[in-house]
Amino acid sequence: MDAILENTVTLEGHQDRVWGVAWNPSGTLLASCGGDKTIRLWGLEGSKYVCKSLLEGPHQRTIRSVAWSPCGRKMASASFDATVGIWEHKDGQEFELSTTLEGHENEVKSVAWSPSGSLLATCSRDKSVWIWEVLEDDDDFECISVLHSHTQDVKCVKWHPTEEVSTQ
């Protein structure tokens, strides 16, 4: 049987190309990011999806990728400005930027949380993959490994679904 894909909704709001989307773990919010340097959080109101939050400010260039932490309280954004933003949802408030990770020498293309949420992988046009550890106070990150085995830019990182093993 051939599967047929059908467009069920079009979300309008970004002022430039959308580069990435990601559902939160509970499937209630969809994050989108793009060339307008913003992240939009979409959710249902009645039978329509609406933009619930607009996150902007820290990134100076296109946001290429967003990823939710397994608990859904944090989100990471990868930007062409060579930074990674860590956004946090505290006590029912709006998402706020809690920290910015720096170190890549060029565009950050992708971010991914490990299944436990204790590690974050980032990759870049600089041909490297960085592994960041979430420190105990939950607001700080430490780079614990930099992998330089690629000969071209690294476009995507993913973790094994149940183990702390990354692929790139």
Side-chain angles (χ1 to χ4, degrees), residues 81-131:
D81 67 8
T83 67
V84 174
I86 304 296
W87 303 83
E88 192 164 357
H89 188 257
K90 293 183 180 180
D91 303 322
Q93 303 296 318
E94 294 288 322
F95 274 87
E96 294 180 0
L97 184 74
S98 64
T99 193
T100 301
L101 306 180
E102 298 178 341
H104 282 287
E105 296 174 9
N106 213 313
E107 301 167 353
V108 181
K109 303 270 183 139
S110 179
V111 292
W113 295 90
S114 67
S116 69
S118 64
L119 299 172
L120 181 72
T122 63
C123 67
S124 170
R125 187 174 184 186
D126 65 12
K127 306 174 192 169
S128 70
V129 174
W130 290 45
I131 306 297

Side-chain angles (χ1 to χ4, degrees), residues 110-112 121-123 129 154-159 166-168:
S110 179
V111 292
T122 63
C123 67
V129 174
V154 186
K155 297 189 186 301
C156 188
V157 289
K158 297 286 182 192
W159 291 89
S166 171
T167 61
Q168 67 269 329

Side-chain angles (χ1 to χ4, degrees), residues 28-30 40-46 48-54 94:
T28 57
L29 288 175
L30 179 69
R40 291 179 179 267
L41 302 180
W42 305 89
L44 273 177
E45 279 189 11
K48 292 185 71 169
Y49 278 93
V50 297
C51 183
K52 300 275 196 176
S53 294
L54 175 63
E94 294 288 322

Side-chain angles (χ1 to χ4, degrees), residues 1-19:
M1 171 168 44
D2 292 333
I4 297 175
L5 294 177
E6 181 180 325
N7 183 18
T8 57
V9 65
T10 300
L11 304 176
E12 296 181 4
H14 282 284
Q15 303 303 306
D16 200 339
R17 174 183 301 166
V18 172
W19 280 96

